[in-house]
């Protein structure tokens, strides 16, 4: 049952920050030092420096700091207006400035200097930004700093303890600095075109799945995930109906999810910046509000004319230079925030997932512990051969997301399949990290090219989304 979390008779708030606070999240804006108009503190409760904390502005070639005046101004402004700050960004292939081509040691030096300079005045840091390729390949980028990655054992990933992974190593360094300083700062990974489970045409969102694997494997270091949400008419950048399900999928790992750089191209509403664009904003905000661990939304600028994508007219205001006019999208967002979150009968949650090979650094307790509800159903364990499978569900009225974990027995397996018999009326609408034989009744899921080989005692995961209910599933795992 779905119930509105606020009293419908309660007086509506008149600013985005007040309405968001009542709903239990922040509503923020990206800003530059020359645009700290009164509206910033009046309407928004969180601030992300749009450019002033990027390495090309503040990093020296040795990983030291320089030119921090603009960043300091933004942090001071936020503090004086009771706003959270998200630092953006520490490790990025673009706008790297003097850090371009630097070693991991130099990156670690910069990470330490930046985190220590502002300490807990920064509530969140984007530690790694845009690590994954464009065009829905699901692969890491092939330019610096990701050229430092090394797959030592040749198993097709860089998650193992002997591998070199700039993502893992950067987060380990950031976690060490936060702990040593006693800071409350949370550590985020941020990317775009990762918002839905699918892209246009129903194709699985392989980029989102790759990000999910990163967060799942490095959960002990990562506190939060940013979905940039630069929505436009690129097939991989549209607003899909499974946005909420994907937010929930990440939330079930125990991390906070942020809509971190939101703007919505008017092409998605046939160039209508009135009711059409407003409805698109309403969908995105509601998807966040419906997931408890979606804890913040940040728009990437104040007005269309001041946006990095000004021709696409994707923000909440027109006007500029401190004189702004609210668009229909503003009113839609304010209305959704005033409606508040919804609550549902709590579904089973995904259990914490152990990386396929333990990390070399001892795990660090995350700020927010991952869910601890055990899997819903299991195959009777066979401790010596073959494989076993467990299913965890996140359910809502009329739909669900299932996560299936396949574990090898005492011997390595080179392939696997999992058979599930779905309840009558239940249909699979999407799957990731597995092939499937059908959409209803008895469905066979089998490994794809990159996850068939599983070492003894280790695990891999796949998932699927469906309509109807999925209670009582009993998976049958077969190894090859």
């Amino acid at each position: 049952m779905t119930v509105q979390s606020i009293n419908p008779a309660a007086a509506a708030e008149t600013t985005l920050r007040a309405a968001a606070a009542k709903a239990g999240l922040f509503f923020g804006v990206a800003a530059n030092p020359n645009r700290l108009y009164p509206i910033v503190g009046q309407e928004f409760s969180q601030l992300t420096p749009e450019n002033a904390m990027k390495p090309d502005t503040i990093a020296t070639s040795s990983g030291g700091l320089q030119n921090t005046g603009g960043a300091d101004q933004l942090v001071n402004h936020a503090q004086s207006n009771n706003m959270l700050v998200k630092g953006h960004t520490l490790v990025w292939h673009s706008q790297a400035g003097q850090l371009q081509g630097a070693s991991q040691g130099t990156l670690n030096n910069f990470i330490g200097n930046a985190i220590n300079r502002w300490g807990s005045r920064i509530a969140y840091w984007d530690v790694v930004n845009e690590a994954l390729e464009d065009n829905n390949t699901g692969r890491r980028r092939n330019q610096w700093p990701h050229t430092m990655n090394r797959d030592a054992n040749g198993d097709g990933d860089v998650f193992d303890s002997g591998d070199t992974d700039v993502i893992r190593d950067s987060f380990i360094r950031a976690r060490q600095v936060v702990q040593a300083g006693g800071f409350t700062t949370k550590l985020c990974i941020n990317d775009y075109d990762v918002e839905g489970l699918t892209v246009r045409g129903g194709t699985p969102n392989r980029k989102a799945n790759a990000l999910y694997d990163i967060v799942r494997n490095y959960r002990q270091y990562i506190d939060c995930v940013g979905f940039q949400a630069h929505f436009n008419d690129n097939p991989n950048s549209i607003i899909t109906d499974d946005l909420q399900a994907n937010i929930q999928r990440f939330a079930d790992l125990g991390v906070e999810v942020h809509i971190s750089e939101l703007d919505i191209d008017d092409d998605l509403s046939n160039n209508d910046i009135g009711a059409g664009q407003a409805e698109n904003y309403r969908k995105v905000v509601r998807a966040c509000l419906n997931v408890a661990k979606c804890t913040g939304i940040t728009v990437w600028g104040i007005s269309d004319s001041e946006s990095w994508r000004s021709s696409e007219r994707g923000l909440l205001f027109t006007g500029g230079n401190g004189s702004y006019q609210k668009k229909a999208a503003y009113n839609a967002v304010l209305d959704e925030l005033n409606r508040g979150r919804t609550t549902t009968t709590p579904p089973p949650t995904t259990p914490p997932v152990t990386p396929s090979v333990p990390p070399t650094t001892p795990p660090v307790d995350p700020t927010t512990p991952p869910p601890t509800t055990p899997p819903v159903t299991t195959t009777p364990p066979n401790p010596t051969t073959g494989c076993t499978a467990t299913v965890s569900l996140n359910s809502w009225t009329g739909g669900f997301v299932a996560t299936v974990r396949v574990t090898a027995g005492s011997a390595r397996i080179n392939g696997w399949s999992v058979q599930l018999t779905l309840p009558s009326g239940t249909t699979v609408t999407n799957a990731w990290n597995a092939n499937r034989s059908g959409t209803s009744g008895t469905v066979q899921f089998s490994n794809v090219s990159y996850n068939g080989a599983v070492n003894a005692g280790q695990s891999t995961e796949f998932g699927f989304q469906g309509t109807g209910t999925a209670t009582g599933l009993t998976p049958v795992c077969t190894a090859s």
Side-chain angles (χ1 to χ4, degrees), residues 224-287:
C224 37
V225 176
F227 290 4
Q228 290 187 12
H230 293 301
F231 291 114
N232 58 75
D233 59 356
N234 180 298
N236 303 316
S237 308
I238 62 171
I239 303 168
T240 55
D241 290 338
D242 47 30
L243 169 62
Q244 179 182 328
N246 198 35
I247 295 172
Q248 185 69 65
R249 174 170 67 139
F250 279 84
D252 286 345
L253 293 175
V255 294
E256 293 183 35
V257 180
H258 302 156
I259 306 297
S260 60
E261 303 184 17
L262 178 61
D263 45 34
I264 303 180
D265 188 342
D266 63 359
D267 285 348
L268 290 178
S269 51
N270 295 316
N271 303 121
D272 171 19
I273 61 169
Q277 187 179 60
E279 182 58 27
N280 283 331
Y281 262 99
R282 191 181 293 275
K283 289 177 184 176
V284 174
V285 172
R286 177 47 52 194

Side-chain angles (χ1 to χ4, degrees), residues 17 44 53 73 107 122 190 196 215 222 272 285 379 384 408 411 431:
R17 69 176 291 164
F44 304 102
M53 284 186 182
Q73 183 181 350
L107 286 178
I122 304 287
N190 191 53
V215 177
I222 297 175
D272 171 19
V285 172
T379 324
T384 57

Side-chain angles (χ1 to χ4, degrees), residues 338-398:
N338 272 312
R339 291 175 185 272
R341 293 190 184 271
T342 59
T343 56
T344 59
T345 303
T349 53
T350 308
V353 179
T354 304
S356 56
V357 175
T360 54
T361 301
V364 179
D365 289 337
T367 304
T368 305
T372 56
T373 305
V376 177
T377 55
T378 64
T379 324
N382 183 333
T384 57
T385 60
C387 59
T388 59
T390 62
V391 180
S392 298
L393 294 176
N394 174 257
S395 302
W396 58 89
T397 303

Side-chain angles (χ1 to χ4, degrees), residues 16-17 20 23-30 43-48 86 124 227-229 231 247 257-264 281-290 294-300 316 333 336-337 341:
L16 299 173
R17 69 176 291 164
L25 72 163
F26 64 75
F27 200 95
V29 67
E43 287 286 352
F44 304 102
S45 55
Q46 179 269 330
L47 186 151
T48 300
K86 175 181 276 191
Y124 302 93
F227 290 4
Q228 290 187 12
F231 291 114
I247 295 172
V257 180
H258 302 156
I259 306 297
S260 60
E261 303 184 17
L262 178 61
D263 45 34
I264 303 180
Y281 262 99
R282 191 181 293 275
K283 289 177 184 176
V284 174
V285 172
R286 177 47 52 194
C288 177
L289 286 168
N290 283 353
C294 188
T295 56
I297 299 171
T298 303
V299 288
W300 208 244
L316 300 180
V333 170
E336 286 301 319
L337 293 172
R341 293 190 184 271

Side-chain angles (χ1 to χ4, degrees), residues 417-439:
S417 64
V418 175
Q419 180 177 295
L420 289 164
T421 300
L422 304 175
S424 177
T426 295
T427 300
V428 176
T429 58
N430 179 40
W432 50 94
N433 298 340
N435 299 310
R436 70 177 191 269
S437 63
T439 60

